Amino acid sequence: MSPHVDRAREHISAWMYHFGLAEDRQANDRQLRDWKISELAGLCYPDATAEGLDLASDLMGWYFAPFDDLFDGELGRDTARSARLLGEMTAILDRPVPVPVAGPGQPPVVHAFADLFRRSITGMSPAWRARAAHHWKGYLAGQFAEVVDRCRALAPDAQSAVCTGA
């Protein structure tokens, strides 16, 4: 277990609140405590620096709460709106380094994503950054595929799944 879990727990709470991913900080703190997001990050990355564990914790919190939950509701049944949102995030991946940023007026989840990506690529080689952007694009495309499947009332199964081996 990382020795930086307590710090990461404090950081993710402040980070999510700062980016508007949590309207009620106390309720968010309870959820993060109950889900043990920072503890999960600490188990997955026991040797991470304090800043690295902050990033891992923030990323896991972003995945498990605001981002994935967006698609459970109305947005997850609207291909046009989903495509726009996911396109905004994909555009961040193509911005020049060192500072990818979200544009004005974009949703909090996009601003938070820009911060996560910026922090994750800082100090990394061009090849690493390109690989990370490629994998993020695949993840975001997968989110869109889920929206399309939901709109078509399709549920993927093991027999019909296609593995492209990217």
Side-chain angles (χ1 to χ4, degrees):
M1 176 69 78
S2 168
H4 307 296
V5 168
D6 290 337
R7 172 196 153 119
R9 189 180 306 109
E10 293 298 318
H11 184 274
I12 188 175
S13 174
W15 182 83
M16 291 185 88
Y17 191 73
H18 169 78
F19 279 97
L21 301 174
E23 292 179 16
D24 181 336
R25 189 160 182 182
Q26 288 181 333
N28 187 56
D29 288 350
R30 279 191 304 277
Q31 182 178 24
L32 292 170
R33 184 185 63 242
D34 292 349
W35 287 7
K36 299 186 183 304
I37 296 290
S38 296
E39 288 81 351
L40 175 60
L43 287 169
C44 291
Y45 303 100
D47 299 325
T49 64
E51 293 80 14
L53 195 65
D54 288 347
L55 174 60
S57 188
D58 295 348
L59 179 60
M60 289 178 182
W62 181 85
Y63 274 140
F64 296 137
F67 181 70
D68 191 56
D69 288 355
L70 279 176
F71 299 97
D72 290 341
E74 181 183 317
L75 182 64
R77 290 166 184 73
D78 187 330
T79 55
R81 284 182 50 222
S82 291
R84 273 193 305 278
L85 178 74
L86 293 165
E88 290 173 13
M89 285 190 255
T90 301
I92 288 165
L93 302 170
D94 293 327
R95 294 212 174 105
V97 293
V99 187
V101 294
Q106 290 181 317
V109 72
V110 175
H111 283 278
F113 177 72
D115 178 69
L116 290 168
F117 188 64
R118 178 192 54 77
R119 290 164 52 206
S120 71
I121 66 172
T122 299
M124 305 309 276
S125 71
W128 192 98
R129 292 190 308 258
R131 186 176 67 245
H134 171 78
H135 288 293
W136 271 113
K137 287 175 184 179
Y139 174 75
L140 296 171
Q143 287 290 332
F144 186 68
E146 286 184 21
V147 171
V148 171
D149 285 349
R150 189 177 296 114
C151 290
R152 293 180 178 165
L154 297 175
D157 57 36
Q159 291 76 29
S160 63
V162 176
C163 181
T164 61

